[in-house]
Amino acid sequence: MTVEVTVYSKADCIQCKMTKTWLETAEVQFTEINVEEKPESIEQLKLHGFSSLPVVAINSLDNA
């Protein structure tokens, strides 16, 4: 099973920065989606009940 990690974040979010730093330190590969660059992702996160960042998704929210 392949695990895909996606971090939804935005530029001025200290919690997002700390989460990405922790993942990098733990050598976890991840894809970052900046919600400021992809605003359509905000609606997807809201549909899944998220209201703050960061959101760390294992595999994909589409598979949830």
Side-chain angles (χ1 to χ4, degrees):
M1 178 172 114
T2 302
V3 176
E4 296 176 23
V5 177
T6 304
V7 178
Y8 294 86
S9 65
K10 65 180 184 174
D12 63 346
C13 170
I14 189 65
Q15 294 88 348
C16 300
K17 183 177 180 178
M18 296 303 293
T19 298
K20 293 182 290 184
T21 298
W22 185 90
L23 289 169
E24 290 166 353
T25 301
E27 299 182 0
V28 175
Q29 293 183 353
F30 63 92
T31 302
E32 178 181 7
I33 296 179
N34 184 321
V35 299
E36 295 167 320
E37 295 171 2
K38 292 186 79 178
E40 65 275 8
S41 62
I42 295 171
E43 290 305 314
Q44 181 184 19
L45 292 172
K46 287 180 180 180
L47 285 173
H48 289 281
F50 297 105
S51 60
S52 63
L53 295 172
V55 172
V56 178
I58 306 301
N59 290 334
S60 171
L61 288 176
D62 294 332
N63 297 329

